[in-house]
Amino acid sequence: MAKRLGTKKKKVLVDALIERDGMLCTWCCREMIRMPIVPFEDCSAHMTLEHIVPMKHGGTHDLFNLALACFECNNDRGDCLDWELTDDDLG
């Protein structure tokens, strides 16, 4: 089983991704909001950490394998690889 990211390392990675990619979803280019992970009514624009190659398929927590995605796209994508998706699969 893959090792989970610690809170401090996750924050450093998210900060680096924001610096690199801005606050736009990798998949749908929606502007995202950065909030703590708590349930709230409309979480579709909530920023999530996305693995380009999912951990299930051998992906890592390295910066080159990470991107930011809105909750909706990350949830829709699941553990699929990019080439397994169609335009209709993402928010």
Side-chain angles (χ1 to χ4, degrees):
M1 177 168 251
K3 188 175 177 186
R4 295 186 62 90
L5 281 174
T7 304
K8 288 181 182 179
K9 181 166 182 160
K10 187 173 186 177
K11 182 184 179 333
V12 168
L13 287 170
V14 169
D15 289 345
L17 289 167
I18 290 171
E19 179 72 26
R20 183 185 79 187
D21 302 333
M23 296 285 287
L24 299 178
C25 175
T26 297
W27 309 113
C28 72
C29 297
R30 176 190 308 198
E31 190 169 344
M32 298 180 292
I33 53 176
R34 184 175 186 174
M35 296 184 73
I37 300 174
V38 293
F40 59 100
E41 210 168 295
D42 180 18
C43 63
S44 61
H46 181 234
M47 180 187 303
T48 64
L49 190 61
E50 170 81 316
H51 291 84
I52 305 299
V53 176
M55 299 295 288
K56 176 181 176 179
H57 296 289
T60 66
H61 295 308
D62 295 325
L63 195 58
F64 68 85
N65 188 48
L66 296 172
L68 297 174
C70 68
F71 177 84
E72 186 175 358
C73 285
N74 197 345
N75 191 50
D76 288 349
R77 184 170 180 258
D79 61 5
C80 292
L81 295 166
D82 295 348
W83 53 87
E84 297 174 329
L85 300 172
T86 66
D87 288 341
D88 294 334
D89 290 329
L90 300 174

